[in-house]
């Protein structure tokens, strides 16, 4: 049995705007990440199949990448235990443009689509924020909220 592969696009963003340091941001047109995933019960665990376009080495361990962490958080919240296969095409050209936030939002949004679009925007935001905080050690909404909400 084959399972559908779904893809999403998550835009780059600019954060730390004016007096809204770490709270205000805006999405950027024309650059962002494309994430594709499928649930694959033939796997024994989640897999990042490949990452392309990255400006630096990114973790391919699903427990260390914001995209896969957010994707798994959403799947777990939905009770979906099947492993996934993820492809991440980085289109955010470096730091300062919400690269990890785009991956986190894309992963959470993609997870939501894989389970039938059952989560609210707030729940998607929460999963992306948890993934980002888990990797960076901080809680910053500027790039995540801009990526998800524009």
């Amino acid at each position: 049995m084959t399972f559908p592969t779904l893809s999403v696009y998550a835009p780059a963003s600019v954060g730390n705007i004016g007096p809204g340091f770490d709270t205000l941001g805006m999405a950027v047109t024309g650059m962002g990440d494309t994430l594709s995933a499928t649930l694959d019960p033939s796997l024994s665990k989640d897999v990042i199949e490949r990452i392309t376009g990255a400006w630096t080495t990114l973790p391919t361990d699903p427990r260390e990448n914001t995209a896969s962490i957010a994707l798994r958080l959403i799947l777990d919240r939905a009770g979906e235990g099947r492993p996934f296969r993820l492809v991440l095409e980085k289109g955010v050209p470096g730091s300062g443009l919400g690269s990890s936030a785009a991956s986190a939002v894309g992963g959470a949004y993609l997870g939501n689509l894989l389970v039938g679009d059952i989560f609210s925007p707030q729940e998607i935001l929460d999963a992306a924020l948890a993934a980002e905080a888990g990797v960076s050690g901080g809680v910053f909404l500027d790039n995540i909220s801009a990526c998800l909400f524009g």
Side-chain angles (χ1 to χ4, degrees), residues 69-70 73-74 77 104-105 108-109 119-134 139 141 144-145 148-149:
I69 293 169
L73 282 170
I74 289 289
R77 288 177 186 169
V105 169
Y109 199 87
F119 291 103
S120 70
Q122 181 63 53
E123 291 168 308
I124 294 168
L125 181 77
D126 291 344
L129 182 60
E132 180 85 345
V139 177
L141 281 170
I144 290 173
S145 59
L148 183 60
F149 300 116

Side-chain angles (χ1 to χ4, degrees), residues 35-48:
L35 296 84
S36 302
T38 187
L39 297 175
D40 188 343
S42 72
L43 298 171
S44 61
K45 61 181 181 175
D46 297 333
V47 171
I48 297 176

Side-chain angles (χ1 to χ4, degrees), residues 58-74:
L58 298 177
T60 56
D61 182 334
R63 298 165 298 178
E64 298 173 1
N65 187 293
T66 61
S68 49
I69 293 169
L71 175 52
R72 176 46 58 198
L73 282 170
I74 289 289

